[in-house]
Amino acid sequence: TYNVNYRLWDTAKTVELVRSHPADIFALVEPQREQAAALQAQVRDLYPHYYRSTGGNLSLFSRYSMTSARTDDLKTGHQSLFAVVKIQGK
């Protein structure tokens, strides 16, 4: 999980970081919709599966397919992202 500051966002630097330290799944906290979309366009070859939360500026990138993904505030007022991924058929 990377907590990014949307005001200091730099797509090129974020792409460089993601490509130099690839993970199977990663999440970003605080990118605005346009910022996450710009990153998604540049790392889709590594992370073809993507989910954007419906609130809270959360984004999930995965090498594995997501069988489900959702946003929930768990009655706290803060958004959380939940996803189930399919890895090697499980």
Side-chain angles (χ1 to χ4, degrees):
T1 302
Y2 298 101
N3 187 339
V4 297
N5 183 325
Y6 69 92
R7 287 180 242 158
L8 300 175
W9 178 266
D10 183 322
T11 300
K13 287 183 181 178
T14 306
V15 168
E16 182 181 328
L17 175 68
V18 168
R19 288 191 175 279
S20 65
H21 302 302
D24 290 336
I25 301 167
F26 75 92
L28 296 180
V29 178
E30 292 190 0
Q32 294 180 338
R33 183 175 308 281
E34 299 79 18
Q35 294 167 330
L39 176 63
Q40 180 194 21
Q42 293 189 42
V43 297
R44 189 169 304 170
D45 60 319
L46 293 176
Y47 302 99
H49 308 282
Y50 174 76
Y51 175 75
R52 172 80 180 174
S53 67
T54 56
N57 288 334
L58 304 170
S59 296
L60 184 67
F61 296 77
S62 177
R63 293 179 187 264
Y64 305 107
S65 64
M66 290 182 236
T67 59
S68 67
R70 67 183 174 89
T71 306
D72 194 330
D73 69 3
L74 302 175
K75 300 181 182 178
T76 66
H78 300 284
Q79 300 297 317
S80 296
L81 188 151
F82 296 88
V84 175
V85 297
K86 192 170 190 175
I87 301 172
Q88 296 177 349
K90 298 181 181 183

